[in-house]
Amino acid sequence: MKARFVALLVPPTLWLAIFLVVPAAIVSANAFTAEGLRHLASPVTWTLFARSFSIALVATTVCLAASYPAAYFIAGCAPRWRNLLLFLVVLPFWTNLLVRVYALKVVLPEAFQNSTGAVVFGLVHSFLPFMILPLYASIEKLPRRLLEASQDLGASPWMSFWKVTVPLTAPGIGAGCILVFIPAFGIFALPEFLGGAQAWMLGNQIELYFKKQQGSTAAGSALTLLLLGCTVALTGVYYRLRKTEGLV
Amino acid sequence: MKTLALTAFVLFAGGARPAELHVFNWADYFAPDTVSAFEKEFNCKITLDYIESSETLRAKLQGGRSGYDVVFPSDEVMPGFIAAGLLEKIDPAKVPNLKNLAARFRGLPYDAKNEYSIPYMWGTTGIAYNIKQVSPPPDSWAALWDPKYAGRATLLDDALEAFAASMWLEGADPGRPTADAIEKAKQRLLKARPLAYDSSPKQRLIKGEAWLSQCFNGDALQAADAAERSADIGYVIPKEGGTQWIDNMAIAKGAPNSDLAHKFLDYLLRPEVSAAISNEVFFANPNEAAQKLIKKEVLENRFANPSEEDLKRCALLSELPTDLKKKLDDAWAEVKGSGSGGISFLMVGAVAMVVVLVVLFMIVKK
Amino acid sequence: MRKALGLYTAVLLASLYVPIAVLVAFSFNASKHGVTWTGFTLGWYGELARDGQVLNELKNTVVIAAASTVLATVLGTLAALAARSHFRGKRLYATLVSLPVMIPDIVLACALYAMFDAVRMSPSLTNAVLGHTTFNLAYVAVVVSARLQGMDRSVELAAQDLGASPWEAFWKVTLPAILPGILAGAVLAFTLSLDDFVVTYFTTGPGDATLPVRIYSMVRFGVTPKMNAVSTLILAVSLALIMLSLRISRVPVAGGGR
């Protein structure tokens, strides 16, 4: 029995140790060198960090605002429609992100392109499915009677929404925000296509260091570590605020 | 069993299997029949791969077993390639057509004895501009910084070239940069407000997205051609100076078929072959003997063939020594990272942060 | 109110598909610059078929996806099965397995790059397969884990009560029950691999490029309408896979599960 369990546990753990933990350790080792630390402390890095954080935050907020009404509507539909609508929402997620971003580039008016606004728009557009699904899952579980009770007690629909619906769907909101913010924070191909010279983000700089400049591995590792650290911190906070079973 | 093996061996080795030549060149750099004519004449098969960037080429050549025979490095990477032993020496005895090279393309600074490279095509880097929108026509790199054209200019996405533009304006020679020149050039670049850093601004010029682009002359020419109103895109080498670049043919270290590679180099130096390529790609040609076979429209094309005074203002860029390279890399990263979308977005970001905190507060307070 | 919400949702969904539709339409556009429609043509697809480099990239894409899917499905299933038990450090284990999903892909890609560089493994298809397996493993584990949670364990225990050995119980009861989950996970992994850009970009070198990497360099170095054709093809393949995945998850399973 024990042997069987070990047989199950060891292979994936070993794999992840070699291809996740060791690389992370090497990145840390590269980052904590003189060169790496110099880059970590440099104002260029922090400007990039602030810009990437802001862009990801704005994109997440807009995505949330744009997704909530749609998720709410879908949750209120008959099951047959629900499944169809969800399918339509998820379908783009299964397609290539680069293709979708390129399609945006083709369609967006020229005046809007090569700007930070275009990048935010692109992010919102690309990550809508990531936000709609968790929101939907949360809203769908809401007991309708609570809303009725709230209105019976004299609250306006608007107040019921803010005081009952939103707090109760907080898990969905949280999940959606994390699912959008983290990839948005580290993205690089999208800002390169849509942002021109304006929206240069952490991911772009990391790519520059690793792929375009020889001998900048320490710099690239430093920024990667920064990104990783931030992500882990945010995820940690998120998990603190909710409970999980199994691996889901 | 032995006879079987022997027969197989004879069939295999002695059979008419054509020799293979592996060529790694930039895209659209041959005439339509250049490769096939060689294959026919020398009874061989050429596999052609496309170089995307000098970095790609370097990465492929490292290790000495790239599998390529003939490669096409540009002038600024040559010293580095030679020093790193990525190329094989060319045996001049096997390339008699070397005599066709114009005198001024022999013994260039990056390969003083032409031991490793033979110039293939050359060109310049200047400013391509939209004739309708940019009036009067630009004559200085300063046009890329002109507030009148803010958000309509692009610079090349290449540290050396972008810094060269800035250095010309500082009165420094980009062919021989100093740490001080790099610093001053960086400060100037930080003030630039380009639309994008784009090494292939053709599309942007054609669509009218960009009005001024730091651009290779070949790209400018293709843009002018494609715009279908070819008078609309002009090209100029600014008064402060421009870059001259030279693409070379060379033999990769560990080339599987060095003999055939030499024959290919010799073939490419034939006047008719060289001229055909120039006629197709519209690039200027270092082959003296080929000049009389090149179409008049190519020779007189101001994009492809700059005038003598224009050429005098051009410098050859080369890769920097390690310490200066570090300085340039850092400066380039800083320029790229500065962007202009920072400030307003920090403010919007701050607002968003406040909104998020308020919502969270409301939720928690219930 | 609902009408307004419904209209809004419809517009939102449409906005998700309009760019893609335009892209697909332009892949049949005869014009070289894709701004105006000049006529219907299959020419770009013809060019694609003759482009040796693209075919090579297609091969690379499929090879990486197939190899990493096989590895990831096995490892991911093992991981999910192991997570059923309670053991010390399970929290840490769960975090470790879901980590590749939670971090931005550039972090995983660059960390792998740094490691391969440190052990002198130059960029290659192998590196890409190793990288893809790592994140696919996590996705398969999540999918199979979800399926396991919905499974009634008592059937497995009943089988053991009736004299089956733990192995037999596993093979004859558990595995068939979670098979749809495993297959769904495999299809998910394959699709993600096909579409992956960032990890592939950092682990492969020139000549090992995949289609998404090709799209990236095409957009950077000048767009040709051929790109629209490539993109449409990639979309078509992804769609086909999604349909396949849906079919699989509807397969009825004998014994156990639902």
Side-chain angles (χ1 to χ4, degrees):
Chain A
M1 189 60 195
K2 192 86 186 289
R4 201 184 102 184
F5 173 69
V6 169
L8 289 177
L9 187 66
V10 165
T13 313
L14 193 62
W15 183 279
L16 289 170
I18 300 177
F19 293 105
L20 198 57
V21 178
V22 168
I26 293 185
V27 165
S28 308
N30 284 338
F32 288 115
T33 54
E35 177 70 15
L37 287 172
R38 180 172 74 86
H39 274 97
L40 267 180
S42 111
V44 180
T45 304
W46 288 102
T47 314
L48 280 172
F49 181 88
R51 186 182 305 129
S52 304
F53 197 89
S54 308
I55 291 180
L57 191 59
V58 174
T60 308
T61 315
V62 174
C63 197
L64 178 62
S67 303
Y68 207 100
Y72 195 84
F73 174 75
I74 299 178
C77 287
R80 232 190 60 192
W81 284 110
R82 255 192 272 161
N83 289 337
L84 174 67
L85 286 172
L86 283 176
F87 176 72
L88 286 178
V89 163
V90 169
L91 200 61
F93 164 66
W94 295 129
T95 60
N96 190 303
L97 180 64
L98 281 184
V99 168
R100 280 185 282 141
V101 175
Y102 171 60
L104 267 186
K105 207 170 146 69
V106 167
V107 162
L108 278 181
E110 183 212 300
F112 189 45
Q113 290 197 32
N114 298 303
S115 65
T116 330
V119 173
V120 170
F121 181 81
L123 283 171
V124 171
H125 188 265
S126 306
F127 290 121
L128 273 174
F130 283 41
M131 181 68 85
I132 293 182
L133 279 182
L135 280 180
Y136 162 81
S138 227
I139 298 174
E140 198 250 339
K141 290 203 187 95
L142 273 185
R144 299 250 128 186
R145 288 172 291 130
L146 274 182
L147 275 175
E148 285 166 20
S150 159
Q151 294 196 300
D152 283 345
L153 288 170
S156 70
W158 192 239
M159 262 192 78
S160 302
F161 178 73
W162 279 109
K163 292 262 169 176
V164 179
T165 315
V166 170
L168 284 179
T169 54
I173 295 177
C177 286
I178 273 275
L179 279 178
V180 172
F181 185 86
I182 291 184
F185 192 36
I187 201 143
F188 84 92
L190 196 153
E192 196 171 335
F193 287 7
L194 294 174
Q198 279 196 12
W200 192 249
M201 295 172 69
L202 261 185
N204 298 101
Q205 194 78 332
I206 293 178
E207 193 234 346
L208 177 73
Y209 284 140
F210 273 115
K211 272 266 177 173
K212 308 260 175 54
Q213 289 183 355
Q214 285 184 307
S216 289
T217 317
S221 299
L223 264 61
T224 307
L225 193 63
L226 182 62
L227 193 52
L228 176 62
C230 203
T231 307
V232 168
L234 280 169
T235 315
V237 167
Y238 171 69
Y239 274 125
R240 266 308 183 84
L241 297 177
R242 53 162 286 173
K243 295 187 169 66
T244 25
E245 283 290 317
L247 289 170
V248 179
Chain B
M1 193 59 196
K2 246 196 185 158
T3 30
L4 208 65
L6 209 56
T7 322
F9 180 74
V10 166
L11 278 176
F12 203 68
R17 229 157 141 258
E20 272 186 42
L21 189 70
H22 298 265
V23 177
F24 201 26
N25 198 356
W26 304 84
D28 302 322
Y29 227 2
F30 284 133
D33 62 344
T34 311
V35 165
S36 48
F38 183 81
E39 284 178 319
K40 261 204 211 75
E41 187 180 326
F42 289 86
N43 188 26
C44 65
K45 176 145 180 2
I46 294 187
T47 41
L48 181 55
D49 281 336
Y50 296 112
I51 303 176
E52 271 177 17
S53 69
S54 293
E55 279 311 310
T56 311
L57 179 56
R58 186 200 310 270
K60 263 301 188 181
L61 288 176
Q62 233 133 34
R65 269 171 294 119
S66 63
Y68 289 115
D69 296 289
V70 179
V71 294
F72 289 78
S74 21
D75 61 294
E76 82 267 2
V77 300
M78 283 304 298
F81 278 25
I82 295 175
L86 301 179
L87 303 170
E88 282 199 9
K89 279 210 183 149
I90 298 177
D91 182 358
K94 294 194 187 155
V95 191
N97 280 331
L98 259 175
K99 64 184 193 305
N100 292 339
L101 258 189
R104 76 164 163 207
F105 285 100
R106 287 184 229 237
L108 289 162
Y110 56 87
D111 185 13
K113 285 182 248 160
N114 274 115
E115 291 177 303
Y116 293 93
S117 64
I118 301 175
Y120 177 65
M121 294 281 149
W122 63 273
T124 56
T125 309
I127 302 181
Y129 63 97
N130 187 319
I131 297 182
K132 265 203 210 98
Q133 303 283 6
V134 182
S135 180
D139 65 345
S140 157
W141 288 109
L144 294 174
W145 271 258
D146 193 335
K148 210 168 44 166
Y149 305 117
R152 288 289 185 186
T154 71
L155 285 161
L156 283 173
D157 192 11
D158 179 286
L160 272 176
E161 294 273 10
F163 267 77
S166 187
M167 276 192 229
W168 287 122
L169 285 173
E170 294 290 330
D173 177 7
R176 264 175 293 257
T178 61
D180 189 53
I182 294 177
E183 181 61 37
K184 288 219 186 75
K186 177 187 84 174
Q187 293 303 333
R188 186 179 283 268
L189 274 171
L190 283 171
K191 293 203 209 92
R193 288 274 174 270
L195 176 73
Y197 290 94
D198 195 344
S199 282
S200 194
K202 261 187 311 204
Q203 286 296 323
R204 292 193 207 262
L205 283 164
I206 294 172
K207 287 212 206 116
E209 216 175 289
W211 292 348
L212 291 150
S213 293
Q214 183 183 24
C215 192
F216 299 119
N217 63 338
D219 279 353
L221 185 50
Q222 286 179 32
D225 245 4
E228 279 138 24
R229 315 142 282 175
S230 73
D232 264 6
I233 308 278
Y235 177 76
V236 68
I237 296 179
K239 62 179 187 240
E240 300 93 0
T243 314
Q244 183 189 21
W245 52 265
I246 305 176
D247 282 336
N248 306 273
M249 356 184 210
I251 301 184
K253 185 95 187 177
N257 201 331
S258 177
D259 245 11
L260 198 54
H262 279 92
K263 291 210 179 74
F264 192 55
L265 295 184
D266 193 58
Y267 165 78
L268 288 173
L269 282 167
R270 291 188 195 167
E272 64 277 9
V273 177
S274 188
I277 299 175
S278 267
N279 286 335
E280 175 68 26
V281 300
F282 265 67
F283 277 118
N285 194 315
N287 189 323
E288 185 80 58
Q291 298 302 313
K292 57 188 185 293
L293 293 172
I294 299 182
K295 287 196 285 213
K296 214 152 142 274
E297 51 179 313
V298 178
L299 285 174
E300 288 180 355
N301 187 305
R302 278 291 134 250
F303 287 56
N305 279 286
S307 63
E308 278 305 316
E309 326 105 55
D310 276 350
L311 198 52
K312 266 200 214 104
R313 295 201 299 275
C314 289
L316 277 174
L317 294 181
S318 78
E319 272 184 350
L320 305 176
T322 325
D323 52 328
L324 277 183
K325 184 166 198 315
K326 189 103 202 53
K327 189 152 174 58
L328 181 67
D329 278 350
D330 283 346
W332 180 237
E334 196 180 327
V335 168
K336 275 294 195 87
S338 64
S340 43
I343 313 296
S344 51
F345 252 81
L346 282 176
M347 297 201 313
V348 181
V351 170
M353 184 69 127
V354 170
V355 167
V356 165
L357 285 174
V358 166
V359 172
L360 269 173
F361 183 65
M362 277 173 51
I363 293 178
V364 166
K365 212 175 141 207
K366 260 225 277 202
Chain C
M1 183 62 181
R2 266 204 75 81
K3 262 217 175 118
L5 280 181
L7 190 65
Y8 172 78
T9 309
V11 169
L12 197 70
L13 278 179
S15 80
L16 279 180
Y17 287 92
V18 163
I20 299 179
V22 171
L23 186 67
V24 172
F26 274 151
S27 72
F28 298 107
N29 184 0
S31 155
K32 223 183 165 199
H33 300 296
V35 178
T36 45
W37 181 267
T38 56
F40 184 91
T41 176
L42 287 175
W44 306 117
Y45 290 94
E47 259 195 58
L48 260 190
R50 275 173 274 132
D51 187 338
Q53 223 181 0
V54 168
L55 293 178
N56 187 42
E57 281 149 8
L58 179 65
K59 178 203 94 190
N60 290 340
T61 314
V62 173
V63 164
I64 295 177
S68 66
T69 300
V70 168
L71 280 170
T73 308
V74 170
L75 289 169
T77 309
L78 290 178
L81 286 168
R84 281 197 301 179
S85 323
H86 289 280
F87 52 94
R88 247 179 51 197
K90 180 176 171 185
R91 206 96 176 278
L92 185 65
Y93 172 73
T95 314
L96 185 67
V97 174
S98 48
L99 207 57
V101 175
M102 296 306 298
I103 56 179
D105 33 9
I106 196 175
V107 171
L108 177 63
C110 289
L112 285 169
Y113 178 89
M115 181 181 80
F116 288 134
D117 191 50
V119 299
R120 304 251 183 287
M121 278 178 74
S122 53
S124 66
L125 283 187
T126 316
N127 293 13
V129 171
L130 295 172
H132 280 227
T133 307
T134 311
F135 67 76
N136 280 334
L137 188 168
Y139 281 101
V140 172
V142 166
V143 172
V144 176
S145 188
R147 180 88 190 175
L148 276 171
Q149 275 179 22
M151 201 188 92
D152 190 358
R153 227 176 153 173
S154 56
V155 187
E156 194 182 340
L157 294 171
Q160 291 186 12
D161 283 344
L162 289 170
S165 72
W167 270 115
E168 272 188 303
F170 176 70
W171 277 108
K172 297 238 161 92
V173 180
T174 321
L175 200 56
I178 57 171
L179 200 59
I182 297 180
L183 287 176
V187 174
L188 172 60
F190 192 77
T191 313
L192 288 174
S193 244
L194 279 186
D195 288 336
D196 176 75
F197 160 67
V198 181
V199 174
T200 316
Y201 183 61
F202 282 93
T203 49
T204 56
D208 309 317
T210 58
L211 286 178
V213 173
R214 178 66 187 266
I215 292 184
Y216 175 72
S217 43
M218 273 173 120
V219 177
R220 287 190 69 222
F221 286 108
V223 178
T224 64
K226 215 160 74 170
M227 259 215 52
N228 298 340
V230 175
S231 309
T232 307
L233 275 178
I234 296 182
L235 280 172
V237 172
S238 305
L239 258 162
L241 281 167
I242 298 166
M243 296 309 178
L244 179 67
S245 146
L246 283 178
R247 275 303 195 78
I248 291 178
S249 54
R250 289 212 198 107
V251 168
V253 175
R258 295 188 204 130

